[in-house]
């Protein structure tokens, strides 16, 4: 399982669509599976810095969903994804050489400006994951910009989304986005999640760091375009 930006997430948009009702409750289960696989590679200092900002974003996203329609959600989230992808590409150019010395599961530095950037990504990640289940791309870009290598990226993001998606459940229930039918569909989706997790784990060791980062950024751009062009 490679919990990163996915173009599929572009389809789980809008407070009134069927997809979020299924994905909101099922994401906690898939994140738990990712944690079981990559738990030893998490960077807890980064997690602790991100969680307060993510919580603010989740609350803001809940308030936004009370009045926003599907068109407003798609436009706002698509624009956020494309903007953040552009910022990430621009900022990564001078940092490319410095990342080469980082260990595969190493801990990236986090200085003053880095902390501010992490909080900004955290708020946006919480907002987008609450509104349209696309917090993955935003948080993935944050981890890439912080210099995480593959396993550190996967372990840290797995814990982020296990905790965030679990905390989202009460908000989603209150908004009527989770019910008995969605939980039944989530159980059926496990039939696809399990083989996907196995294939992803086998593939991650065969993908080099540069290709891994390109896939994350490319999937984010595709997801943003899907939202804007729907």
């Amino acid at each position: 399982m490679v919990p990163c930006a996915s173009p599929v997430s572009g389809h789980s948009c809008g407070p009134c669509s069927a997809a979020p009702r299924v994905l909101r409750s099922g994401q906690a289960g898939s994140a738990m599976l990712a944690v079981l696989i990559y738990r030893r590679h998490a960077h807890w200092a980064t997690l602790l810095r991100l969680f307060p900002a993510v919580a603010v974003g989740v609350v803001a996203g809940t308030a936004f969903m009370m009045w926003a329609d599907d068109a407003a959600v798609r436009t706002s989230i698509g624009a956020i994804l494309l903007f953040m992808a552009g910022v990430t590409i621009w900022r990564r150019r001078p940092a490319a050489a410095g990342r080469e010395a980082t260990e595969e599961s190493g801990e990236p530095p986090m200085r003053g400006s880095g902390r501010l950037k992490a909080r900004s990504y955290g708020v946006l990640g919480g907002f987008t994951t609450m509104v349209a289940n696309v917090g993955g791309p935003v948080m993935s870009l944050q981890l890439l910009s912080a210099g995480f290598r593959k396993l550190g990226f996967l372990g840290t993001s797995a814990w982020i989304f296990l905790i965030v998606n679990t905390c989202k459940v009460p908000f989603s229930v209150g908004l009527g986005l989770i019910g008995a039918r969605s939980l039944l569909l989530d159980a059926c989706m496990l039939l696809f999640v399990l083989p996907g997790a196995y294939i992803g784990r086998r593939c991650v060791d065969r993908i080099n760091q540069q290709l891994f980062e390109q896939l994350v950024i490319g999937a984010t751009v595709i997801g943003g375009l899907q939202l804007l062009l729907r």
Side-chain angles (χ1 to χ4, degrees):
M1 179 177 292
V2 182
C4 63
S6 170
V8 177
S9 63
H11 295 292
S12 56
C13 178
C16 301
S17 61
R21 297 174 184 266
V22 178
L23 293 175
R24 287 178 193 278
S25 50
Q27 283 177 333
S30 61
M32 185 179 298
L33 184 57
V35 165
L36 291 175
I37 298 172
Y38 299 110
R39 62 189 181 279
R40 290 176 295 177
H41 304 287
H43 184 212
W44 281 98
T46 296
L47 289 170
L48 294 174
R49 277 190 290 265
L50 283 173
F51 285 139
V54 172
V56 171
V58 169
V59 173
T62 303
F64 179 74
M65 290 181 67
M66 291 179 179
W67 63 268
D69 58 16
D70 283 359
V73 168
R74 287 195 300 270
T75 301
S76 59
I77 301 302
I80 288 173
L81 293 185
L82 292 179
F83 174 75
M84 298 310 298
V87 169
T88 300
I89 293 171
W90 180 74
R91 290 179 63 95
R92 281 163 52 83
R93 293 180 302 168
R99 291 196 316 273
E100 295 177 356
T102 306
E103 297 291 336
E104 182 68 17
S105 58
E107 300 180 356
M110 187 73 70
R111 298 180 177 86
S113 60
R115 293 188 182 94
L116 177 60
K117 182 174 66 174
R119 293 188 183 102
S120 300
Y121 276 101
V123 172
L124 287 174
F127 179 85
T128 54
T129 194
M130 189 64 221
V131 171
N133 287 317
V134 291
V138 176
M139 301 310 300
S140 295
L141 294 176
Q142 194 280 325
L143 296 179
L144 287 186
S145 68
F148 277 86
R149 306 291 287 180
K150 286 187 300 182
L151 294 180
F153 174 102
L154 293 170
T156 304
S157 61
W159 275 107
I160 287 173
F161 286 103
L162 173 61
I163 297 172
V164 169
N165 287 319
T166 301
C167 293
K168 281 167 48 182
V169 170
F171 294 95
S172 298
V173 171
L175 290 168
L177 297 172
I178 292 179
R181 182 173 177 272
S182 68
L183 292 174
L184 178 61
L185 291 173
D186 290 332
C188 295
M189 288 176 62
L190 286 176
L191 297 174
F192 301 95
V193 171
L194 292 174
Y198 174 78
I199 294 171
R201 184 66 185 93
R202 295 295 298 269
C203 290
V204 75
D205 292 332
R206 294 171 170 79
I207 300 176
N208 63 44
Q209 182 67 26
Q210 183 178 8
L211 177 59
F212 180 83
E213 296 177 1
Q214 291 171 346
L215 289 173
V216 171
I217 295 173
T220 300
V221 172
I222 292 171
L225 289 173
Q226 285 181 329
L227 288 170
L228 289 176
L229 298 177
R230 279 182 64 184

